[in-house]
């Protein structure tokens, strides 16, 4: 599957095949993609905690406040992305430029994670609605939880993508 095919077919999966586990080989490929993702000053200011079994169920429950993300309970794997400290050069750049490079880097890592999941035939969904404190306790983390990604085999067929027209997203400037 080439990148454009992944971009066209990857979607936020909200229905997973119950009882179908993710093979370790596929999970390893997804994690390797995250490891290879670019980051500011090559600092990789994040940590991935892979949750399965009861830990996955508990993390899913910590993402379901106010009725949100109910589908997360179906996913056999939940990947918790926590924010780690900057490397010194990225910290300096962030301070001088007023830019949050860690959030950018975590977004890139999540994009690589979900793209490789699609290439492996897996569904995924990036969750930002979560209970940081509960997930930290479940996973034994000392740093803020920024995202949780559900991972498993999609139970539903892909939906048609609804996206803005390119002209709404892009402009060109020539000097």
């Amino acid at each position: 599957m080439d990148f454009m095919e992944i971009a066209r077919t990857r979607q936020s999966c909200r229905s997973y095949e119950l009882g179908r586990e993710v093979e370790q080989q596929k999970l390893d490929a997804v994690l390797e993609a995250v490891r290879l993702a670019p980051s500011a000053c090559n600092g990789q200011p994040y940590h991935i905690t892979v949750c399965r079994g009861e830990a996955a169920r508990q993390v899913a429950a910590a993402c379901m406040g106010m009725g949100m993300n109910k589908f997360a309970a179906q996913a056999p794997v939940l990947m918790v992305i926590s924010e780690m400290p900057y490397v010194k050069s990225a910290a300096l750049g962030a301070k001088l430029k007023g830019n949050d490079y860690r959030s950018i880097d975590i977004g890139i890592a999540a994009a690589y994670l979900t793209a490789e999941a699609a290439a492996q035939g897996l569904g995924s969904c990036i969750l930002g609605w979560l209970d940081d404190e509960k997930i930290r306790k479940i996973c034994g983390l000392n740093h803020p939880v920024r995202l949780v990604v559900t991972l498993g085999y999609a139970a539903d067929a892909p939906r048609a993508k609804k996206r803005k027209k390119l002209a709404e997203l892009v402009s060109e400037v020539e000097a």
Side-chain angles (χ1 to χ4, degrees), residues 1 3 6-7 10 30 33 109-120 124:
M1 188 180 299
F3 183 78
I6 291 168
R10 193 256 156 215
V30 168
Y112 271 55
L113 187 162
T114 58
E116 183 57 30
Q120 293 293 325
S124 62

Side-chain angles (χ1 to χ4, degrees), residues 79-117:
M79 302 177 90
V80 175
I81 304 177
S82 51
E83 180 183 280
M84 301 302 287
Y86 281 118
V87 294
K88 288 180 183 179
S89 54
L92 178 62
K95 187 172 185 172
L96 290 173
K97 292 299 182 181
N99 209 341
D100 181 7
Y101 296 120
R102 287 182 292 199
S103 290
I104 295 167
D105 293 343
I106 288 169
I108 294 168
Y112 271 55
L113 187 162
T114 58
E116 183 57 30

Side-chain angles (χ1 to χ4, degrees), residues 83-173:
E83 180 183 280
M84 301 302 287
Y86 281 118
V87 294
K88 288 180 183 179
S89 54
L92 178 62
K95 187 172 185 172
L96 290 173
K97 292 299 182 181
N99 209 341
D100 181 7
Y101 296 120
R102 287 182 292 199
S103 290
I104 295 167
D105 293 343
I106 288 169
I108 294 168
Y112 271 55
L113 187 162
T114 58
E116 183 57 30
Q120 293 293 325
L122 300 170
S124 62
C125 189
I126 302 169
L127 310 179
W129 185 274
L130 53 88
D131 187 322
D132 173 64
E133 187 177 320
K134 283 183 183 176
I135 296 173
R136 282 194 207 194
K137 284 181 183 176
I138 294 162
C139 297
L141 300 171
N142 296 321
H143 298 283
V145 174
R146 295 298 181 215
L147 297 173
V148 172
V149 181
T150 59
L151 195 66
Y153 285 92
D156 294 335
R159 302 176 298 273
K161 286 202 182 253
K162 296 177 185 176
R163 298 291 189 264
K164 292 180 180 180
K165 295 185 185 307
L166 195 57
E168 295 177 71
L169 298 172
V170 178
S171 60
E172 291 187 32
V173 177

Side-chain angles (χ1 to χ4, degrees), residues 31-39 42 44 46 105 108-110 112-113:
L31 293 169
E32 180 65 6
V34 173
R35 189 183 75 80
L36 295 172
S39 62
N42 209 27
Q44 298 176 294
Y46 44 79
D105 293 343
I108 294 168
Y112 271 55
L113 187 162

